[in-house]
Amino acid sequence: MQISLQHQVALVTGGSSGIGAAVAAALAKAGAAVAINYHSQREPAQKLADKIVADGGKAIAVGADVGSQADVDRMFAQTLDAFGRLDILVANSGLQRDAGIDDMTLDDWNTVINTNLTGQFLCAQAAIRQFTRQDIQPNGSRARGKIIHMSSVHQRVPWAGHVNYAASKGGVDLLMQSLAQEVSERGIRVNSIAPGAIATPINQENTKGEAGEKLLELIPYGRIGDVEDVANATVWLASDLSDYVVGTTLFIDGGMSVYPEFRDNG
Ligand code: BGC
């Protein structure tokens, strides 16, 4: 079976590295035209777009801070200018500012909430507005539009030393479910993906060497995830193969969220 996203346009936020870059590449491989958003790292996003185009696909790199309304408006306008419509939003931008509660500053809190939660709200809102005003393409998707929120196992697993991050992802969960409840009747599918420990720049210190070994104790399946593990599932969730999947979270975590501490009888 082949998954095709031909004639569809995708916007991937936070696409210059890690999970976002792999998702953008995978969506392009499945045939979608892709707008790859970056915040500070223009060069890798542009390089990825160039590679997709060199391989016969369609892609652009678009700069924006997803926590800024003006930037998000500009990013959507640029995507529509380039490709004329939008079918898939992967709201993936995310960051960490880790600190124990005694040391966490308001800036640490606001920075994480602004990108990880407000950014997902602003992008989802802009996507829903666009999905609602455009026609369904006869040769496109069954859905009017699809939103995939990139969440985390930490929407379920509390995380000491990271209360800002866990709170942002807990917020993403109910943002996603509430949106799904509100806009499914328009033919818009809203879902989340919750990755566990995936080897990316956000957690490179924790996934290598001794720290990596320790991390494996939390992963019953016995390996750190690859960005492709998440990218492959994202392509499926963006495609009509998952057309009846609405308002749900797909955990991609090697079992990290199933309480591995209880393996040996608790
Ligand atoms: C975080 C990573 C962490 C993983 C599992 C992710 O959401 O960004 O830093 O390794 O969750 O704890």
Side-chain angles (χ1 to χ4, degrees):
M1 187 188 309
Q2 245 209 320
I3 300 188
S4 170
L5 298 175
Q6 286 283 336
H7 311 294
Q8 297 189 49
V9 177
L11 168 62
V12 182
T13 68
S16 60
S17 71
I19 289 172
V23 164
L27 293 172
K29 219 169 169 191
V34 189
I36 304 165
N37 157 253
Y38 62 91
H39 183 202
S40 48
Q41 295 178 272
R42 195 192 79 83
E43 207 179 294
Q46 188 58 55
K47 257 196 179 151
L48 177 56
D50 292 345
K51 179 166 187 312
I52 290 170
V53 172
D55 291 346
K58 289 186 188 156
I60 56 165
V62 197
D65 172 357
V66 295
S68 150
Q69 177 83 71
D71 278 26
V72 168
D73 290 347
R74 197 157 24 82
M75 171 172 74
F76 274 77
Q78 276 176 271
T79 303
L80 294 174
D81 267 2
F83 301 127
R85 60 181 291 113
L86 184 72
D87 301 281
I88 300 158
L89 166 69
V90 183
N92 167 76
S93 296
L95 47 81
Q96 289 181 216
R97 290 278 183 281
D98 309 327
I101 191 60
D102 301 300
D103 298 317
M104 186 172 285
T105 64
L106 180 58
D107 190 55
D108 293 332
W109 172 268
N110 283 338
T111 301
V112 169
I113 297 294
N114 196 47
T115 295
N116 295 15
L117 184 55
T118 307
Q120 298 235 3
F121 157 70
L122 287 174
C123 292
Q125 183 182 52
I128 288 164
R129 286 178 176 154
Q130 177 58 28
F131 296 155
T132 304
R133 75 169 75 98
Q134 76 194 6
D135 292 332
I136 296 184
Q137 304 184 94
N139 56 359
S141 176
R142 284 182 81 173
R144 174 172 286 282
K146 291 146 294 192
I147 296 176
I148 297 167
H149 291 283
M150 202 56 74
S151 182
S152 162
V153 284
H154 297 297
Q155 74 170 43
R156 177 186 290 174
V157 180
W159 205 12
H162 307 74
V163 297
N164 47 1
Y165 186 84
S168 74
K169 297 301 186 177
V172 166
D173 183 26
L174 276 172
L175 167 68
M176 179 280 288
Q177 292 189 57
S178 304
L179 285 178
Q181 200 184 55
E182 190 168 340
V183 301
S184 298
E185 65 191 27
R186 301 187 205 176
I188 298 171
R189 291 198 296 121
V190 189
N191 290 288
S192 288
I193 286 181
I198 310 294
T200 68
I202 206 172
N203 62 10
Q204 50 191 338
E205 275 166 29
N206 305 334
T207 49
K208 291 192 184 128
E210 228 172 86
E213 289 301 315
K214 206 158 163 258
L215 187 56
L216 283 179
E217 290 169 20
L218 297 176
I219 308 172
Y221 198 57
R223 70 173 173 87
I224 309 278
D226 302 318
V227 286
E228 287 75 21
D229 292 318
V230 180
N232 291 337
T234 306
V235 170
W236 174 77
L237 201 47
S239 79
D240 281 2
L241 288 186
S242 62
D243 189 57
Y244 209 50
V245 179
V246 170
T248 201
T249 297
L250 179 56
F251 283 79
I252 303 181
D253 65 354
M256 187 180 235
S257 57
V258 293
Y259 301 99
E261 309 87 304
F262 282 78
R263 261 178 294 191
D264 302 315
N265 236 348

Short mmCIF file of all heavy atoms in Angstrom, two decimals, residues 219-265:
data_model
loop_
_atom_site.label_atom_id
_atom_site.label_comp_id
_atom_site.label_asym_id
_atom_site.label_seq_id
_atom_site.Cartn_x
_atom_site.Cartn_y
_atom_site.Cartn_z
N ILE A 219 12.25 2.92 28.86
CA ILE A 219 11.67 2.60 27.54
C ILE A 219 11.60 1.08 27.37
O ILE A 219 12.57 0.45 26.96
CB ILE A 219 12.51 3.23 26.40
CG1 ILE A 219 12.72 4.72 26.68
CG2 ILE A 219 11.83 3.01 25.05
CD1 ILE A 219 13.69 5.39 25.74
N PRO A 220 10.43 0.48 27.68
CA PRO A 220 10.33 -0.97 27.61
C PRO A 220 10.75 -1.56 26.27
O PRO A 220 11.29 -2.65 26.23
CB PRO A 220 8.83 -1.23 27.86
CG PRO A 220 8.29 0.00 28.46
CD PRO A 220 9.21 1.12 28.13
N TYR A 221 10.55 -0.85 25.20
CA TYR A 221 10.87 -1.40 23.89
C TYR A 221 12.39 -1.43 23.63
O TYR A 221 12.87 -2.04 22.69
CB TYR A 221 10.16 -0.60 22.78
CG TYR A 221 10.09 -1.33 21.46
CD1 TYR A 221 9.51 -2.59 21.36
CD2 TYR A 221 10.64 -0.77 20.30
CE1 TYR A 221 9.47 -3.27 20.15
CE2 TYR A 221 10.59 -1.44 19.09
CZ TYR A 221 10.01 -2.70 19.02
OH TYR A 221 9.97 -3.37 17.83
N GLY A 222 13.15 -0.73 24.49
CA GLY A 222 14.60 -0.91 24.50
C GLY A 222 15.41 -0.12 23.50
O GLY A 222 16.57 -0.45 23.25
N ARG A 223 14.86 0.92 22.95
CA ARG A 223 15.70 1.79 22.12
C ARG A 223 15.17 3.22 22.16
O ARG A 223 13.99 3.45 22.41
CB ARG A 223 15.78 1.30 20.68
CG ARG A 223 14.51 1.43 19.86
CD ARG A 223 14.77 1.08 18.39
NE ARG A 223 13.54 1.04 17.61
CZ ARG A 223 12.97 2.08 17.01
NH1 ARG A 223 13.50 3.28 17.11
NH2 ARG A 223 11.84 1.94 16.31
N ILE A 224 16.09 4.15 21.93
CA ILE A 224 15.71 5.55 21.76
C ILE A 224 15.07 5.67 20.38
O ILE A 224 15.49 5.00 19.43
CB ILE A 224 16.97 6.45 21.82
CG1 ILE A 224 17.83 6.16 23.05
CG2 ILE A 224 16.60 7.93 21.70
CD1 ILE A 224 17.43 6.78 24.33
N GLY A 225 14.07 6.50 20.25
CA GLY A 225 13.38 6.64 18.96
C GLY A 225 14.18 7.44 17.94
O GLY A 225 15.05 8.24 18.29
N ASP A 226 13.87 7.18 16.67
CA ASP A 226 14.45 7.97 15.57
C ASP A 226 13.41 8.96 15.10
O ASP A 226 12.20 8.71 15.21
CB ASP A 226 14.78 7.07 14.37
CG ASP A 226 15.75 5.98 14.75
OD1 ASP A 226 16.70 6.27 15.49
OD2 ASP A 226 15.54 4.83 14.31
N VAL A 227 13.88 10.02 14.47
CA VAL A 227 12.92 11.00 13.95
C VAL A 227 11.99 10.36 12.91
O VAL A 227 10.82 10.74 12.79
CB VAL A 227 13.62 12.24 13.34
CG1 VAL A 227 14.17 13.11 14.45
CG2 VAL A 227 14.71 11.86 12.35
N GLU A 228 12.49 9.34 12.22
CA GLU A 228 11.65 8.67 11.21
C GLU A 228 10.47 7.94 11.87
O GLU A 228 9.41 7.79 11.25
CB GLU A 228 12.45 7.67 10.37
CG GLU A 228 13.39 8.31 9.37
CD GLU A 228 14.63 8.91 10.00
OE1 GLU A 228 14.99 8.50 11.14
OE2 GLU A 228 15.24 9.81 9.38
N ASP A 229 10.65 7.45 13.10
CA ASP A 229 9.52 6.81 13.79
C ASP A 229 8.33 7.78 13.87
O ASP A 229 7.18 7.40 13.69
CB ASP A 229 9.92 6.40 15.22
CG ASP A 229 10.94 5.27 15.25
OD1 ASP A 229 10.79 4.32 14.46
OD2 ASP A 229 11.88 5.35 16.05
N VAL A 230 8.65 9.02 14.15
CA VAL A 230 7.59 10.04 14.28
C VAL A 230 7.12 10.50 12.89
O VAL A 230 5.92 10.67 12.65
CB VAL A 230 8.10 11.24 15.11
CG1 VAL A 230 7.01 12.29 15.24
CG2 VAL A 230 8.56 10.78 16.48
N ALA A 231 8.06 10.66 11.98
CA ALA A 231 7.71 11.16 10.64
C ALA A 231 6.78 10.18 9.92
O ALA A 231 5.79 10.59 9.29
CB ALA A 231 8.98 11.39 9.83
N ASN A 232 7.06 8.88 10.02
CA ASN A 232 6.22 7.89 9.33
C ASN A 232 4.78 7.94 9.84
O ASN A 232 3.83 7.89 9.08
CB ASN A 232 6.78 6.48 9.53
CG ASN A 232 8.10 6.28 8.80
OD1 ASN A 232 8.38 6.99 7.84
ND2 ASN A 232 8.90 5.34 9.25
N ALA A 233 4.65 8.03 11.16
CA ALA A 233 3.31 8.08 11.75
C ALA A 233 2.59 9.38 11.38
O ALA A 233 1.37 9.40 11.21
CB ALA A 233 3.40 7.95 13.27
N THR A 234 3.35 10.45 11.25
CA THR A 234 2.74 11.73 10.89
C THR A 234 2.17 11.67 9.47
O THR A 234 1.08 12.19 9.20
CB THR A 234 3.78 12.88 10.99
OG1 THR A 234 4.35 12.84 12.29
CG2 THR A 234 3.13 14.23 10.76
N VAL A 235 2.90 11.03 8.57
CA VAL A 235 2.41 10.89 7.20
C VAL A 235 1.09 10.11 7.20
O VAL A 235 0.12 10.49 6.55
CB VAL A 235 3.46 10.19 6.30
CG1 VAL A 235 2.87 9.83 4.94
CG2 VAL A 235 4.68 11.08 6.12
N TRP A 236 1.05 9.03 7.97
CA TRP A 236 -0.18 8.23 8.07
C TRP A 236 -1.34 9.08 8.62
O TRP A 236 -2.44 9.09 8.08
CB TRP A 236 0.07 7.01 8.96
CG TRP A 236 -1.17 6.22 9.23
CD1 TRP A 236 -1.79 5.34 8.39
CD2 TRP A 236 -1.96 6.26 10.43
NE1 TRP A 236 -2.92 4.83 8.98
CE2 TRP A 236 -3.05 5.37 10.23
CE3 TRP A 236 -1.86 6.94 11.64
CZ2 TRP A 236 -4.03 5.16 11.21
CZ3 TRP A 236 -2.84 6.74 12.60
CH2 TRP A 236 -3.91 5.85 12.38
N LEU A 237 -1.04 9.83 9.70
CA LEU A 237 -2.09 10.62 10.35
C LEU A 237 -2.55 11.78 9.46
O LEU A 237 -3.67 12.28 9.61
CB LEU A 237 -1.57 11.13 11.70
CG LEU A 237 -2.57 11.55 12.77
CD1 LEU A 237 -3.68 10.54 12.97
CD2 LEU A 237 -1.85 11.80 14.09
N ALA A 238 -1.70 12.18 8.54
CA ALA A 238 -2.08 13.26 7.61
C ALA A 238 -2.82 12.72 6.39
O ALA A 238 -3.40 13.49 5.63
CB ALA A 238 -0.82 14.00 7.15
N SER A 239 -2.79 11.41 6.22
CA SER A 239 -3.35 10.82 4.99
C SER A 239 -4.77 10.31 5.22
O SER A 239 -5.24 10.18 6.36
CB SER A 239 -2.47 9.65 4.54
OG SER A 239 -2.77 8.50 5.32
N ASP A 240 -5.43 9.95 4.14
CA ASP A 240 -6.79 9.41 4.24
C ASP A 240 -6.82 8.00 4.85
O ASP A 240 -7.90 7.51 5.18
CB ASP A 240 -7.46 9.40 2.86
CG ASP A 240 -7.96 10.79 2.47
OD1 ASP A 240 -7.75 11.74 3.26
OD2 ASP A 240 -8.57 10.92 1.39
N LEU A 241 -5.66 7.37 4.99
CA LEU A 241 -5.65 6.05 5.65
C LEU A 241 -6.12 6.18 7.10
O LEU A 241 -6.55 5.20 7.71
CB LEU A 241 -4.25 5.43 5.63
CG LEU A 241 -3.76 4.91 4.28
CD1 LEU A 241 -2.42 4.21 4.46
CD2 LEU A 241 -4.76 3.96 3.66
N SER A 242 -6.02 7.38 7.66
CA SER A 242 -6.47 7.59 9.04
C SER A 242 -7.72 8.47 9.06
O SER A 242 -7.96 9.17 10.04
CB SER A 242 -5.36 8.24 9.87
OG SER A 242 -5.05 9.51 9.33
N ASP A 243 -8.52 8.42 7.97
CA ASP A 243 -9.61 9.40 7.83
C ASP A 243 -10.64 9.38 8.97
O ASP A 243 -11.31 10.38 9.20
CB ASP A 243 -10.33 9.20 6.49
CG ASP A 243 -11.31 10.32 6.22
OD1 ASP A 243 -10.87 11.49 6.22
OD2 ASP A 243 -12.52 10.05 6.06
N TYR A 244 -10.77 8.25 9.67
CA TYR A 244 -11.78 8.20 10.74
C TYR A 244 -11.15 8.47 12.11
O TYR A 244 -11.79 8.30 13.14
CB TYR A 244 -12.46 6.83 10.70
CG TYR A 244 -13.89 6.85 11.20
CD1 TYR A 244 -14.81 7.78 10.75
CD2 TYR A 244 -14.32 5.93 12.17
CE1 TYR A 244 -16.11 7.80 11.22
CE2 TYR A 244 -15.61 5.93 12.64
CZ TYR A 244 -16.51 6.88 12.16
OH TYR A 244 -17.80 6.90 12.64
N VAL A 245 -9.90 8.90 12.12
CA VAL A 245 -9.19 9.18 13.38
C VAL A 245 -9.35 10.67 13.69
O VAL A 245 -8.87 11.53 12.96
CB VAL A 245 -7.70 8.80 13.27
CG1 VAL A 245 -6.98 9.11 14.57
CG2 VAL A 245 -7.55 7.33 12.90
N VAL A 246 -10.03 10.95 14.79
CA VAL A 246 -10.38 12.33 15.14
C VAL A 246 -10.22 12.53 16.65
O VAL A 246 -10.73 11.74 17.44
CB VAL A 246 -11.85 12.63 14.74
CG1 VAL A 246 -12.31 13.97 15.32
CG2 VAL A 246 -12.02 12.63 13.22
N GLY A 247 -9.50 13.54 17.03
CA GLY A 247 -9.44 13.93 18.44
C GLY A 247 -8.65 12.98 19.31
O GLY A 247 -8.88 12.88 20.52
N THR A 248 -7.67 12.32 18.72
CA THR A 248 -6.93 11.34 19.51
C THR A 248 -5.43 11.66 19.53
O THR A 248 -4.94 12.43 18.71
CB THR A 248 -7.18 9.92 18.94
OG1 THR A 248 -6.88 8.97 19.95
CG2 THR A 248 -6.34 9.61 17.73
N THR A 249 -4.74 11.04 20.48
CA THR A 249 -3.28 11.20 20.56
C THR A 249 -2.62 9.86 20.30
O THR A 249 -2.96 8.87 20.93
CB THR A 249 -2.86 11.70 21.96
OG1 THR A 249 -3.43 12.99 22.19
CG2 THR A 249 -1.35 11.82 22.06
N LEU A 250 -1.70 9.88 19.38
CA LEU A 250 -0.93 8.67 19.07
C LEU A 250 0.42 8.78 19.78
O LEU A 250 1.23 9.66 19.47
CB LEU A 250 -0.75 8.60 17.55
CG LEU A 250 0.04 7.44 16.97
CD1 LEU A 250 -0.53 6.10 17.42
CD2 LEU A 250 0.02 7.52 15.45
N PHE A 251 0.63 7.91 20.76
CA PHE A 251 1.90 7.91 21.49
C PHE A 251 2.93 7.11 20.70
O PHE A 251 2.68 5.97 20.32
CB PHE A 251 1.73 7.29 22.89
CG PHE A 251 1.07 8.24 23.86
CD1 PHE A 251 -0.31 8.44 23.82
CD2 PHE A 251 1.81 8.96 24.77
CE1 PHE A 251 -0.93 9.34 24.69
CE2 PHE A 251 1.21 9.85 25.65
CZ PHE A 251 -0.16 10.05 25.61
N ILE A 252 4.08 7.73 20.47
CA ILE A 252 5.17 7.06 19.74
C ILE A 252 6.37 7.12 20.66
O ILE A 252 7.16 8.07 20.63
CB ILE A 252 5.42 7.77 18.41
CG1 ILE A 252 4.13 7.78 17.61
CG2 ILE A 252 6.54 7.09 17.64
CD1 ILE A 252 4.22 8.42 16.27
N ASP A 253 6.47 6.13 21.55
CA ASP A 253 7.39 6.29 22.67
C ASP A 253 8.02 4.99 23.15
O ASP A 253 8.59 4.95 24.23
CB ASP A 253 6.65 6.96 23.84
CG ASP A 253 5.53 6.09 24.40
OD1 ASP A 253 5.25 5.02 23.82
OD2 ASP A 253 4.95 6.47 25.43
N GLY A 254 7.91 3.92 22.36
CA GLY A 254 8.50 2.65 22.80
C GLY A 254 7.96 2.17 24.13
O GLY A 254 8.60 1.39 24.83
N GLY A 255 6.79 2.68 24.50
CA GLY A 255 6.16 2.24 25.75
C GLY A 255 6.50 3.09 26.96
O GLY A 255 6.14 2.76 28.09
N MET A 256 7.15 4.23 26.73
CA MET A 256 7.54 5.09 27.86
C MET A 256 6.35 5.52 28.71
O MET A 256 6.48 5.71 29.93
CB MET A 256 8.25 6.33 27.31
CG MET A 256 8.86 7.21 28.36
SD MET A 256 9.65 8.64 27.59
CE MET A 256 11.29 8.50 28.25
N SER A 257 5.19 5.67 28.09
CA SER A 257 4.04 6.20 28.83
C SER A 257 3.19 5.11 29.49
O SER A 257 2.13 5.40 30.03
CB SER A 257 3.16 7.02 27.88
OG SER A 257 2.75 6.23 26.78
N VAL A 258 3.68 3.85 29.45
CA VAL A 258 2.85 2.79 30.06
C VAL A 258 3.41 2.35 31.42
O VAL A 258 3.34 1.18 31.78
CB VAL A 258 2.62 1.59 29.10
CG1 VAL A 258 1.77 2.01 27.92
CG2 VAL A 258 3.92 0.97 28.63
N TYR A 259 3.97 3.29 32.15
CA TYR A 259 4.45 3.04 33.52
C TYR A 259 5.44 1.87 33.60
O TYR A 259 5.18 0.89 34.31
CB TYR A 259 3.28 2.84 34.48
CG TYR A 259 2.35 4.04 34.53
CD1 TYR A 259 1.16 4.06 33.82
CD2 TYR A 259 2.70 5.16 35.27
CE1 TYR A 259 0.33 5.16 33.84
CE2 TYR A 259 1.87 6.27 35.30
CZ TYR A 259 0.69 6.27 34.58
OH TYR A 259 -0.13 7.36 34.60
N PRO A 260 6.58 1.97 32.92
CA PRO A 260 7.55 0.87 32.91
C PRO A 260 8.08 0.51 34.31
O PRO A 260 8.53 -0.61 34.54
CB PRO A 260 8.68 1.37 32.01
CG PRO A 260 8.44 2.82 31.82
CD PRO A 260 6.99 3.07 32.05
N GLU A 261 7.96 1.45 35.27
CA GLU A 261 8.42 1.15 36.64
C GLU A 261 7.66 -0.05 37.22
O GLU A 261 8.14 -0.69 38.16
CB GLU A 261 8.16 2.35 37.58
CG GLU A 261 8.66 3.69 37.13
CD GLU A 261 7.63 4.40 36.26
OE1 GLU A 261 7.19 3.81 35.23
OE2 GLU A 261 7.28 5.54 36.58
N PHE A 262 6.48 -0.33 36.69
CA PHE A 262 5.66 -1.40 37.24
C PHE A 262 5.91 -2.75 36.57
O PHE A 262 5.24 -3.71 36.85
CB PHE A 262 4.17 -1.03 37.13
CG PHE A 262 3.73 -0.06 38.19
CD1 PHE A 262 4.01 1.29 38.07
CD2 PHE A 262 3.06 -0.49 39.32
CE1 PHE A 262 3.64 2.20 39.05
CE2 PHE A 262 2.68 0.39 40.31
CZ PHE A 262 2.95 1.74 40.18
N ARG A 263 6.95 -2.80 35.70
CA ARG A 263 7.24 -4.02 34.98
C ARG A 263 7.42 -5.23 35.90
O ARG A 263 7.01 -6.32 35.62
CB ARG A 263 8.52 -3.85 34.16
CG ARG A 263 8.23 -3.53 32.71
CD ARG A 263 9.51 -3.33 31.97
NE ARG A 263 10.21 -2.12 32.45
CZ ARG A 263 11.26 -1.57 31.85
NH1 ARG A 263 11.76 -2.14 30.77
NH2 ARG A 263 11.84 -0.50 32.32
N ASP A 264 8.16 -4.97 37.01
CA ASP A 264 8.46 -6.10 37.91
C ASP A 264 7.55 -6.10 39.11
O ASP A 264 8.00 -6.24 40.25
CB ASP A 264 9.94 -6.03 38.32
CG ASP A 264 10.81 -6.05 37.10
OD1 ASP A 264 10.55 -6.88 36.20
OD2 ASP A 264 11.75 -5.24 37.01
N ASN A 265 6.28 -5.90 38.88
CA ASN A 265 5.28 -5.96 39.93
C ASN A 265 5.21 -4.71 40.80
O ASN A 265 4.67 -4.74 41.90
CB ASN A 265 5.57 -7.16 40.85
CG ASN A 265 4.35 -8.04 40.93
OD1 ASN A 265 3.27 -7.63 40.50
ND2 ASN A 265 4.50 -9.23 41.47
#
